[in-house]
Amino acid sequence: MTISMHQASVPLFRRQLGALLAWLDKAEAHATARKFDPNNYLQLRLAPDMLPFVSQIRIASDAAKGCVARLAGVEPPKFEDNEATLAELRERVRKTLAYLDSVPADAVDGSEGRDIVIPMRPPREPVQMKGLFFLQHWALPNFYFHVTTAYALLRHAGVELGKGDFLAVG
Amino acid sequence: MTISMHQASVPLFRRQLGALLAWLDKAEAHATARKFDPNNYLQLRLAPDMLPFVSQIRIASDAAKGCVARLAGVEPPKFEDNEATLAELRERVRKTLAYLDSVPADAVDGSEGRDIVIPMRPPREPVQMKGLFFLQHWALPNFYFHVTTAYALLRHAGVELGKGDFLAVG
């Protein structure tokens, strides 16, 4: 028995984005209890030259949908990047999950050797790699990087989260 | 073509732990330039009820060696958890890499359906799951969680790191 490319990608994104939705609920409850605007989370940063919370969630969403689309050989859906509230961020995560569900498993399977081209912010040239390398050494680490940074920002802001909320297993 | 369990685990841990070694070098250079003791990093925390930097690295190491050992059906090597310097943390990461290299690929391959038992801190009962689920929904997210938190602590401390240092591709 071995693992297919769909098995090695979509279920990981799904579980973690589902966990993230639950963190957003806890963040909102924390804001309500402390009587501050829950949208204040969106501009929090761990360092002044790191991206804010809102961007961490957007990029986690992009990493998940971009990975699955590129493996399937289709253009990833573009989202507007205009979320201004926690509710809109939640909606973006839900749209990302719906997109992951919409891509047929057999379109992703067999993509180990597919040539993947990742556009970079100009003036950097696009980066090219094979499907398996892209999944394992680019998309997954990048996705977990942004999800964990979002988690760290909420923890730093006092939201009551623990490892069980991160792994969300069982 | 599909992916084997060894392919889906060891190369990811190897690349990320290699990247981490380079962050530790940058952290040391930053301390030297700013004239502070590089061992000061070890007790940094993002929140007073989060684990310090030294623990983030130890648990990342445990997650990697524990994953590969359990998939291979052997007892993970126990490290002392007594690192008191940045140099000792670096040594632990190197020992972890050497362990990953010592486990034969064919001992890990075929472990998708193996019963994995994860000891928890008492009074919690051990958790049991199948090899593939353990790799994808426990070991990998847990590993990236601690590595990213270590990265966030260094960034928060002013060490000059960017996404390129995290992904360390190309």
Side-chain angles (χ1 to χ4, degrees):
Chain A
M1 196 183 127
T2 47
I3 316 165
S4 79
M5 288 294 279
H6 187 269
Q7 269 182 319
S9 55
V10 172
L12 286 74
F13 296 133
R14 287 201 103 280
R15 173 177 300 276
Q16 205 62 51
L17 291 173
L20 171 60
L21 281 176
W23 311 342
L24 298 183
D25 291 343
K26 286 201 175 185
E28 177 143 15
H30 177 74
T32 304
R34 299 282 297 272
K35 297 187 173 53
F36 67 81
D37 182 347
N39 303 324
N40 288 356
Y41 292 113
L42 274 64
Q43 293 310 320
L44 294 182
R45 300 173 194 260
L46 282 177
D49 58 347
M50 285 181 80
L51 292 169
F53 184 76
V54 62
S55 301
Q56 303 295 342
I57 307 283
R58 284 177 189 155
I59 303 174
S61 151
D62 287 346
K65 66 184 170 61
C67 173
V68 175
R70 289 194 178 98
L71 290 177
V74 298
E75 197 62 30
K78 276 217 169 92
F79 293 167
E80 287 290 330
D81 286 346
N82 61 356
E83 298 82 5
T85 66
L86 207 59
E88 287 170 5
L89 272 185
R90 211 181 259 122
E91 186 50 33
R92 181 182 182 125
V93 176
R94 289 209 191 93
K95 269 166 58 188
T96 308
L97 285 165
Y99 177 72
L100 297 183
D101 287 342
S102 77
V103 180
D106 61 6
V108 175
D109 284 344
S111 60
E112 292 87 339
R114 183 167 286 162
D115 285 317
I116 307 289
V117 178
I118 308 164
M120 303 299 287
R121 238 170 282 160
R124 289 189 63 190
E125 295 290 318
V127 175
Q128 191 166 335
M129 54 190 81
K130 297 291 181 188
L132 180 60
F133 188 96
F134 165 68
L135 170 64
Q136 295 193 319
H137 299 290
W138 188 280
L140 286 180
N142 194 38
F143 173 74
Y144 283 116
F145 177 89
H146 290 287
V147 167
T148 305
T149 304
Y151 174 98
L153 279 163
L154 295 181
R155 281 291 268 107
H156 197 252
V159 179
E160 281 199 31
L161 294 170
K163 179 64 78 62
D165 296 290
F166 189 84
L167 294 180
V169 168
Chain B
M1 196 184 129
T2 48
I3 316 164
S4 79
M5 287 295 279
H6 187 270
Q7 268 182 318
S9 55
V10 172
L12 286 74
F13 296 134
R14 288 201 103 279
R15 173 176 301 275
Q16 206 62 51
L17 291 173
L20 171 60
L21 281 176
W23 311 343
L24 298 183
D25 290 344
K26 286 201 175 183
E28 177 142 14
H30 177 75
T32 305
R34 300 281 298 272
K35 298 188 172 57
F36 66 82
D37 183 347
N39 303 325
N40 289 356
Y41 292 113
L42 274 65
Q43 294 309 321
L44 294 182
R45 300 174 195 258
L46 283 177
D49 58 346
M50 285 181 80
L51 292 169
F53 184 76
V54 62
S55 301
Q56 303 295 343
I57 308 282
R58 284 177 189 153
I59 302 174
S61 150
D62 287 347
K65 67 184 168 61
C67 174
V68 175
R70 289 195 177 97
L71 290 177
V74 298
E75 197 61 31
K78 275 217 170 91
F79 294 166
E80 286 290 329
D81 286 344
N82 60 356
E83 298 83 4
T85 65
L86 207 58
E88 286 170 6
L89 272 185
R90 211 181 259 123
E91 187 50 32
R92 182 183 182 125
V93 176
R94 288 210 190 91
K95 269 166 58 187
T96 308
L97 284 165
Y99 177 71
L100 297 183
D101 287 342
S102 77
V103 180
D106 61 6
V108 175
D109 284 343
S111 60
E112 292 88 339
R114 182 167 285 161
D115 285 316
I116 307 289
V117 178
I118 309 164
M120 304 298 288
R121 237 169 281 159
R124 290 189 61 189
E125 295 289 318
V127 175
Q128 192 167 332
M129 55 190 82
K130 297 291 181 189
L132 180 59
F133 188 96
F134 165 67
L135 170 64
Q136 295 194 317
H137 299 290
W138 188 281
L140 285 181
N142 193 38
F143 173 74
Y144 283 116
F145 176 89
H146 290 286
V147 166
T148 305
T149 304
Y151 174 98
L153 279 163
L154 295 181
R155 280 291 268 106
H156 197 251
V159 179
E160 282 200 29
L161 294 171
K163 179 63 78 60
D165 297 290
F166 189 85
L167 293 179
V169 167

